[in-house]
Amino acid sequence: MESTRVDRWLWAVRLTKTRSDAADACRGGHVRVNDRPAKAATTVVPGDEVRARVGNVTRVVEVVRVIQKRVGAAEAAACLIDRTPKPPPEALVPVARRERGAGRPTKRERRVLDRFREQGS
């Protein structure tokens, strides 16, 4: 059975931009293989589940095929099954809108808008 390093696989299937980014993610504890923390040299085989935090999103993927070199996007997509859960729909936040042609907000309206914006942050 074929296997490869997890940092190399993450880079090859285009989950990270560079291999050093993948290695840094492993070093930082952002990559798990089969629910175990993974070092960059951890091997992956078909059937393994890889969790990697890429940016602000935690991607959950299953290894279908092991590849060593970076390939085209279509071929890379065939090497994994994306099991990332869908993000929850954000609560409907009312959007402050002014009527068209209403002109500039008054000082009072501007204060209300500022308070509204501070609550959303």
Side-chain angles (χ1 to χ4, degrees), residues 4-116:
T4 189
R5 295 169 54 109
V6 70
D7 64 334
R8 191 170 191 174
W9 188 80
L10 288 171
W11 166 76
V13 296
R14 296 170 175 258
L15 287 180
T16 59
K17 286 188 177 187
T18 65
R19 187 167 168 193
S20 62
D21 284 348
D24 289 344
C26 291
R27 246 182 267 115
H30 304 300
V31 178
R32 297 177 75 82
V33 175
N34 296 328
D35 272 341
R36 291 193 188 108
K39 293 182 180 179
T42 302
T43 58
V44 291
V45 295
D48 283 348
E49 179 187 79
V50 178
R51 289 178 180 268
R53 191 164 78 205
V54 182
N56 294 332
V57 179
T58 300
R59 301 281 306 269
V60 181
V61 296
E62 181 183 332
V63 179
V64 173
R65 199 170 90 221
V66 174
I67 56 175
Q68 304 275 338
K69 303 224 178 208
R70 198 160 170 105
V71 294
E75 194 174 335
C79 296
L80 59 92
I81 298 173
D82 195 354
R83 299 196 190 285
T84 306
K86 300 286 181 206
E90 295 187 33
L92 296 175
V93 178
V95 178
R97 300 225 175 200
R98 293 181 48 78
E99 292 297 318
R100 189 174 175 95
R104 292 179 58 178
T106 63
K107 191 171 188 175
R108 180 173 183 260
E109 291 170 335
R110 195 173 62 243
R111 286 182 180 144
V112 170
L113 284 172
D114 288 343
R115 265 188 260 127
F116 176 74

